[in-house]
């Protein structure tokens, strides 16, 4: 009844189904873990933004990598801007998430001579990408900057390729170690994403607060993959039952078609037998009639 399952076609279908089930389950867990990561990150961002501001030197030091749990913490730093070593970061998006331009990255020299990078905000790229853009001047003299503490960017973490051979004073990544080599001054690890004071004239445009409300579609994707995994055995059973029904119907049809010629061939024989029987019956009736006729008496 189910011997067709041993055919090459059905063996391949079954093996493919057996492979797809664990793959889809694993993809579901992958999306589920991404959901958990997003939820945990949202909680970290929310708690970091709500924490009281601390001096930048409490969270980082020269050459130190900023721990993940200290990201987005509000920090303060007091010093003077080193505009001579100011650079712009290419291919950055404005608050509207559509316009492409630059981040303005300026070292802030602290009282002890160390420096910390400050992302002062976004400016438009303009028409000429081969020259240093027109950057709004940084405040002169001693200033106190407040902002979110961020970890150094790397290609592995951000996915941004660190392109070489760029025009002067243009970079792809915000990285304190690379800027320390270029400037020749010790720099604290990480950088500050400035939130205060507000720039005069509204430029550079401050970097918006990171989204920490949306959880993304990862949980829905996980459920979707698990439903696909559950659908594979169900679909396999449906296909097997359909194949069995189709094969049974085909076999019945073949049997019916094979029986039809035999019935057609036996029909003349039956008709001939019937005619013979009718003839014999008529003969017997006639004979019986002759026998029953009385002899005619003579005069």
């Amino acid at each position: 009844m189910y011997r067709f399952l041993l055919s090459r076609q059905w063996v391949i279908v079954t093996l493919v189904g057996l492979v797809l089930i664990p793959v889809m389950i694993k993809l579901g867990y992958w999306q589920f873990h991404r959901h958990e990561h997003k939820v945990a990150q949202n909680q970290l961002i929310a708690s970091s933004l709500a924490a009281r501001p601390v001096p930048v030197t409490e969270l980082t030091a020269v050459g130190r990598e900023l721990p993940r749990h200290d990201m987005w913490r509000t920090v303060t730093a007091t010093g003077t801007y080193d505009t001579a070593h100011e650079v712009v970061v290419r291919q950055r998006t404005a608050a509207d998430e559509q316009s492409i331009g630059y981040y303005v990255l300026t070292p802030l020299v602290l009282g002890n001579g160390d420096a910390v990078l400050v992302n002062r905000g976004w400016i438009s790229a303009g028409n000429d990408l081969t020259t240093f853009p027109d950057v709004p001047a940084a405040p002169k003299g001693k200033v106190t900057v407040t902002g979110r503490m961020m970890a150094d960017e790397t290609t592995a973490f951000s996915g941004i390729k660190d392109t070489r051979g760029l025009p002067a004073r243009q970079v792809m990544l915000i990285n304190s170690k690379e800027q320390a080599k270029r400037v020749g001054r010790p720099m604290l690890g990480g950088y500050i994403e400035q939130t205060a004071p507000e720039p005069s004239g509204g430029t550079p445009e401050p970097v918006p607060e990171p989204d920490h409300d949306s959880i993304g579609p990862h949980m829905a994707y996980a459920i979707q993959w698990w439903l696909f995994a559950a659908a594979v055995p169900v679909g396999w059973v449906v296909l097997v039952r359909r194949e069995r029904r189709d094969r049974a119907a085909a076999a019945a049809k073949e049997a019916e078609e094979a029986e039809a010629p035999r019935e057609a061939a036996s029909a003349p024989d039956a008709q001939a037998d019937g005619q013979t029987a009718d003839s014999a019956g008529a003969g017997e009736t006639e004979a019986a009639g002759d026998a029953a006729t009385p002899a005619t008496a003579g005069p």
Side-chain angles (χ1 to χ4, degrees):
M1 184 180 297
Y2 291 101
R3 293 191 63 183
F4 62 86
L5 292 175
L6 299 177
S7 66
R8 180 182 178 184
Q9 176 185 359
W10 275 97
V11 168
I12 293 175
V13 170
T14 303
L15 290 177
V16 169
L18 291 175
V19 170
L20 286 177
I21 291 173
V23 170
M24 290 178 177
I25 292 175
K26 187 172 182 179
L27 288 172
Y29 275 109
W30 170 60
Q31 289 290 347
F32 178 69
H33 293 322
R34 293 188 67 186
H35 167 77
E36 289 184 318
H37 172 77
K38 181 65 175 177
V39 170
Q41 179 168 294
N42 287 350
Q43 293 173 346
L44 174 61
I45 294 173
S47 61
S48 294
L49 294 176
R52 65 177 182 83
V54 297
V56 66
T57 51
E58 287 191 14
L59 299 185
T60 185
V62 174
R64 181 188 179 193
E65 293 186 6
L66 186 73
R68 177 175 172 77
H69 62 265
D70 285 335
M71 285 185 64
W72 301 287
R73 288 280 304 274
T74 303
V75 296
T76 60
T78 301
T80 56
Y81 279 118
D82 179 11
T83 55
H85 293 103
E86 189 172 66
V87 297
V88 293
V89 188
R90 293 169 63 96
Q91 297 294 316
R92 298 305 168 116
T93 308
D96 62 7
E97 298 184 352
Q98 295 180 352
S99 304
I100 304 298
Y102 301 109
Y103 279 162
V104 179
L105 195 64
T106 311
L108 182 71
V109 181
L110 307 179
N112 62 357
D114 295 340
V116 60
L117 292 175
V118 178
N119 179 1
R120 296 202 290 125
W122 181 91
I123 60 172
S124 175
N127 297 323
D128 189 359
L129 301 181
T130 63
T131 60
F132 191 74
D134 185 15
V135 177
K140 297 183 181 297
K142 183 175 289 189
V143 296
T144 297
V145 175
T146 302
R148 296 178 289 269
M149 195 67 208
M150 304 296 293
D152 285 325
E153 294 179 344
T154 63
T155 298
F157 182 77
S158 67
I160 302 172
K161 185 178 180 181
D162 190 13
T163 306
R164 302 296 179 179
L166 296 175
R169 300 175 67 185
Q170 295 190 22
V171 297
M172 294 299 297
L173 297 170
I174 305 176
N175 189 285
S176 62
K177 294 179 181 178
E178 293 298 323
Q179 291 304 307
K181 295 176 185 177
R182 192 182 69 85
V183 174
R185 181 190 295 274
M187 284 199 178
L188 305 185
Y191 65 96
I192 299 174
E193 209 168 63
Q194 181 177 335
T195 57
E198 290 286 338
S200 60
T203 57
E205 179 184 308
V207 179
E209 184 178 280
D211 173 35
H212 54 281
D213 294 324
S214 172
I215 60 174
H218 304 300
M219 190 62 186
Y221 289 160
I223 295 174
Q224 189 177 58
W225 279 118
W226 290 333
L227 289 176
F228 287 160
V232 170
V234 174
W236 184 86
V237 170
V238 170
L239 290 176
V240 168
R241 296 184 65 179
R242 181 183 298 173
E243 181 74 9
R244 177 178 174 274
R245 184 178 65 247
D246 292 346
R247 286 175 177 265
K253 185 177 180 180
E254 288 179 3
E256 183 180 348
E257 291 176 350
E259 185 68 23
R262 289 196 296 269
E263 291 179 354
S266 62
D269 295 339
Q271 184 176 3
D273 293 341
Q275 291 175 352
T276 302
D278 291 343
S279 299
E284 290 177 358
T285 303
E286 184 179 353
D290 292 343
T293 302
T296 303

